[in-house]
Amino acid sequence: MTSPLNVSSICALPVEGTFICCVSCSMYSSGFPADIVDSFTCQKCLVNLELVGKIRELEDRVRNLIAIRQTENWIDSVCLDNSATSDSASVSPGPTVVSARPKSAAPIQPQGEWVTVRRGSKNPKCSPPAPRSPIRTQNRFSALRSAPVETENKKVLIIGDSIVRNVRIPNYVKPAVHVKCLAGAKISGIEAALDRVADDEVSTLLLHVGTNDIYSQQSEVLKRNFISLCIKAKRKCRNLVVSGPLPRLYRGDVIYSRLHSLHCWLETWCANKSIAFVNNWDDF
């Protein structure tokens, strides 16, 4: 037969850790290491603190929504009042109809600043609305607009081979755009045409050339000619733009490969020299 339960023996059993009191709910917990910090908070209190924080966040959002709704209602009321005032002012008054039978008008009794109007009295004539001052309008972002002050009297020149033959620019575009097409021209022909252009005569110069030079199959000579052309073109304008070659699908693999190699070299070289480059390869 087992001995009865001894409470003192149970309390005397060794317990790993120590008893710790929660700083929020003052409840004791056991089974924690002895080196725990004094500011102990139990799991239930942590959950409660998290819920309280979420409730406060929801309350702040509700207050913000209420403030926004009140602002919207006030704006709607102001707009309705303005529209009603403008409608009443735009309607011209009709002819006044005088009744043949006179009505006995009750006397008006002043009461300080207020006047009591009895039934049957004639309504006072409304004074015309005061003229409104004109509303000044301006573009707040006009300071960010880059107005071409220095290039107003200059022009934009597009020069190239037969690819630019059908390029048409409307006349109302400012500054004026001029297109010069040299069918079948190579880099040497474009460079000779640039000799007739004065230095710093145009604001923007766009070059499209190089396709006809591919057939000579001299890649290194083509690169040197392109560099010489761009150096001369930069003296003729303020902004230089190089238009890349277009792919030729039905001229054989050799022409296609050389055109693609020229496109890749031009794109890299123009980026290193800070020259604008038009990538036509992906578009066409």
Side-chain angles (χ1 to χ4, degrees):
M1 184 173 181
T2 59
S3 61
L5 182 63
N6 190 354
V7 179
S8 61
S9 61
I10 295 176
C11 295
L13 292 176
V15 180
E16 296 181 357
T18 182
F19 290 96
I20 299 176
C21 179
C22 177
V23 297
S24 297
C25 62
S26 300
M27 296 296 293
Y28 285 91
S29 299
S30 63
F32 294 91
D35 56 350
I36 195 169
V37 296
D38 296 336
S39 59
F40 169 73
T41 305
C42 62
Q43 188 66 25
K44 292 183 179 180
C45 293
L46 292 177
V47 174
N48 290 337
L49 291 176
E50 183 178 0
L51 293 176
V52 168
K54 291 183 178 180
I55 291 174
R56 291 177 179 174
E57 183 179 355
L58 290 175
E59 289 177 350
D60 294 338
R61 294 182 62 183
V62 170
R63 282 193 293 268
N64 291 335
L65 291 175
I66 291 175
I68 293 172
R69 177 60 60 85
Q70 292 176 353
T71 305
E72 291 178 349
N73 293 336
W74 178 79
I75 293 175
D76 293 340
S77 62
V78 171
C79 294
L80 290 176
D81 294 341
N82 292 337
S83 61
T85 304
S86 60
D87 293 342
S88 61
S90 60
V91 177
S92 59
T96 305
V97 179
V98 180
S99 175
R101 193 166 109 186
K103 295 182 180 180
S104 58
I108 299 176
Q109 299 177 0
Q111 298 178 359
E113 296 181 357
W114 298 89
V115 176
T116 304
V117 180
R118 300 298 182 183
R119 184 177 180 183
S121 61
K122 186 177 180 181
N123 294 329
K125 186 179 295 184
C126 298
S127 59
R132 298 182 180 179
S133 59
I135 301 176
R136 297 180 59 185
T137 58
Q138 61 180 356
N139 184 10
R140 296 180 297 172
F141 304 100
S142 58
L144 303 178
R145 183 177 56 190
S146 57
V149 179
E150 300 180 357
T151 61
E152 288 182 354
N153 298 327
K154 297 184 181 297
K155 61 182 179 180
V156 176
L157 177 61
I158 300 175
I159 184 171
D161 51 20
S162 58
I163 297 298
V164 301
R165 176 183 299 166
N166 296 322
V167 175
R168 297 291 182 270
I169 307 298
N171 296 329
Y172 56 81
V173 176
K174 299 298 181 183
V177 180
H178 299 270
V179 180
K180 187 174 183 59
C181 173
L182 302 176
K186 297 182 180 181
I187 293 180
S188 58
I190 300 297
E191 191 171 357
L194 286 179
D195 292 337
R196 295 187 290 270
V197 179
D199 291 349
D200 202 17
E201 180 180 353
V202 297
S203 60
T204 303
L205 176 61
L206 186 143
L207 300 176
H208 185 92
V209 68
T211 304
N212 298 319
D213 296 79
I214 290 294
Y215 297 98
S216 61
Q217 298 185 8
Q218 296 178 352
S219 300
E220 297 302 324
V221 176
L222 176 59
K223 293 178 182 178
R224 289 196 299 267
N225 293 339
F226 240 116
I227 294 174
S228 175
L229 174 64
C230 291
I231 292 175
K232 178 176 291 187
K234 291 185 71 173
R235 295 197 301 265
K236 308 295 181 179
C237 64
R238 295 182 180 271
N239 302 315
L240 177 61
V241 182
V242 175
S243 178
L246 276 70
R248 292 291 188 87
L249 301 180
Y250 304 106
R251 299 294 182 177
D253 296 338
V254 176
I255 300 300
Y256 183 88
S257 176
R258 288 183 176 274
L259 278 174
H260 186 263
S261 176
L262 175 63
H263 160 76
C264 296
W265 176 81
L266 268 178
E267 186 177 13
T268 305
W269 185 81
C270 291
N272 294 333
K273 299 299 181 179
S274 301
I275 298 176
F277 178 76
V278 180
N279 188 349
N280 296 317
W281 197 269
D282 297 336
D283 295 336
F284 293 93

